[in-house]
Amino acid sequence: MIQYGMPKPVDRTYSPAARDAAALLGEMIRAARLRRRMPMRELAERAGVSRGLVVRVEAGDMGSAIGAAFEMAAIVGVPLFDADPEVVSARLAKQREVNALLPRRAFPASVEVDDEF
């Protein structure tokens, strides 16, 4: 049987810190949108998403697409990580340099430690 439409979301739990971060970003997006007197419809159109997704992001819905939330934040002027885009770009470049030195994959420890003396 072929199923059309969006897949059913998987129930999962999130840490309080993650939930608070999503709620904070949503509140910041909403406040910035209202300060700019921008209707939800306009933000949705500019971000290329549905009005319902704007509602969910502003409510801190953990199932919302992070890319859409970041795009909405950029449109209304909510700084992501730092107010200066050049600082964000520099930090990204530095992090990519660090990550290039790390192994491509994480392997579970295969050696058991005998700690009984």
Side-chain angles (χ1 to χ4, degrees), residues 18-105:
R19 285 193 309 268
D20 287 351
L24 175 59
L25 180 59
E27 292 289 339
M28 292 170 66
I29 290 170
R30 181 175 187 278
R33 180 180 60 77
L34 293 174
R35 276 194 303 273
R36 292 174 181 266
R37 298 174 193 241
M38 180 185 294
M40 275 190 192
R41 174 194 44 75
E42 182 181 341
L43 178 56
E45 287 173 6
R46 290 184 59 188
V49 299
S50 69
R51 185 180 170 280
L53 184 54
V54 174
V55 170
R56 290 191 306 275
V57 166
E58 288 186 356
D61 181 346
M62 294 295 286
S64 300
I66 192 167
F70 280 12
E71 182 63 18
M72 289 179 218
I75 289 169
V76 296
V78 172
L80 298 171
F81 305 107
D82 196 293
D84 185 355
E86 290 181 18
V87 173
V88 173
S89 294
R91 287 181 66 189
L92 175 59
K94 181 66 177 170
Q95 189 62 54
R96 285 182 172 159
E97 288 175 15
V98 169
N99 288 359
L101 301 174
L102 297 172
R104 293 267 179 217
R105 293 177 29 181

